[in-house]
Amino acid sequence: MDKVDIITKYFPEITTVQKGRFARLGDLYADWNAKINVISRKDMEHFYERHVLHSLAIARFITFKEGQLVMDVGTGGGFPGIPLAILFPGTSFLLVDSIGKKIKIVENVALELGLNNVKAINSRAELLPDKVDFVISRATASLTDLVKWTMQSIKKQQNSGLIALKGGDLKEELKGFRKIKNIPVSGYFEEQFFETKSLIFLPSF
């Protein structure tokens, strides 16, 4: 099976260029992982399912528009930001992490793939002045902390907000949040890994 078959299974409309970029991701991250351990060895065996496809769950929920600015908070090695930047070349992505060596990986991967729509920043999200259309995050922190760190950065407008990919039982964590959407990722992807995964959307106003 081609390593990007799991991507084209759910996103058959991707271009040849996008397919080529997705195909290169596995080798790029394997190389970097040998130098700086950002992905567990066990997870590298399931890289396309657990990291790339999981990140793309956001693309099943929303289509980012040309000219929008999306901030990935606590991006680590570049997830969910890098896969989404491949899928939405007309959207600008700001990938933020407080750990410099992780940002170095993001910068290099974006450069290798020619992703001109990615800017990597070594900072804490709450210190950034940018006003963005969406904040995205994958298993970074509790929703309370994410809201505290990022809500002031999100434009107060229709179709803007915080999108977080999370796992496990979220009942307690989501208590007290109004207007929140909790969408099972298993509704998007049939693989067993996604049975306990959720996509959380909190509108900005």
Side-chain angles (χ1 to χ4, degrees):
M1 187 168 92
D2 190 300
K3 53 190 172 184
V4 296
D5 279 356
I6 197 167
I7 309 299
T8 54
K9 174 181 174 181
Y10 294 105
F11 299 92
E13 72 288 353
I14 63 171
T15 66
T16 307
V17 170
Q18 288 169 322
K19 193 173 178 183
R21 283 173 168 158
F22 281 125
R24 288 188 64 200
L25 275 184
D27 290 339
L28 284 172
Y29 278 100
D31 286 349
W32 274 106
N33 220 40
K35 302 172 206 162
I36 301 167
N37 192 16
V38 282
I39 294 168
S40 77
R41 299 283 184 260
K42 189 182 169 198
D43 262 10
M44 272 311 293
E45 293 169 31
H46 307 279
F47 174 76
Y48 280 93
E49 178 185 295
R50 296 184 182 180
H51 294 279
V52 184
L53 189 61
H54 189 204
S55 297
L56 294 177
I58 291 172
R60 294 299 296 266
F61 171 70
I62 191 167
T63 300
F64 293 125
K65 296 186 174 67
E66 195 142 334
Q68 285 186 321
L69 179 59
V70 178
M71 180 163 68
D72 177 3
V73 173
T75 187
F79 300 97
I82 291 280
L84 289 167
I86 293 172
L87 205 61
F88 298 107
T91 304
S92 295
F93 288 85
L94 202 55
L95 275 55
V96 182
D97 205 283
S98 59
I99 299 170
K101 63 184 180 180
K102 292 183 178 178
I103 286 300
K104 183 184 173 188
I105 294 172
V106 172
E107 285 173 337
N108 278 275
V109 168
L111 191 66
E112 286 280 344
L113 296 178
L115 293 176
N116 301 322
N117 58 334
V118 170
K119 185 178 176 186
I121 296 183
N122 179 202
S123 176
R124 297 179 67 83
E126 63 269 33
L127 302 177
L128 294 174
D130 301 69
K131 282 286 182 194
V132 301
D133 296 285
F134 290 93
V135 165
I136 58 175
S137 189
R138 191 175 76 128
T140 304
S142 72
L143 196 64
T144 304
D145 282 342
L146 280 172
V147 167
K148 188 168 72 184
W149 298 337
T150 66
M151 264 308 183
Q152 80 285 351
S153 299
I154 305 172
K155 295 173 186 173
K156 300 288 182 278
Q157 63 184 22
Q158 206 84 41
N159 301 322
S160 285
L162 170 64
I163 304 170
L165 293 170
K166 289 187 158 285
D169 186 354
L170 302 171
K171 217 176 292 173
E172 283 301 312
E173 189 176 338
L174 303 186
K175 254 186 194 170
F177 285 102
R178 293 179 305 132
K179 292 202 270 184
I180 204 160
K181 283 186 181 174
N182 180 359
I183 300 156
V185 176
S186 58
Y188 299 142
F189 308 136
E190 65 183 11
E191 285 73 16
Q192 192 179 350
F193 173 73
F194 301 107
E195 283 177 10
T196 58
K197 306 299 178 193
S198 296
L199 182 148
I200 307 301
F201 175 62
L202 187 63
S204 59
F205 78 111

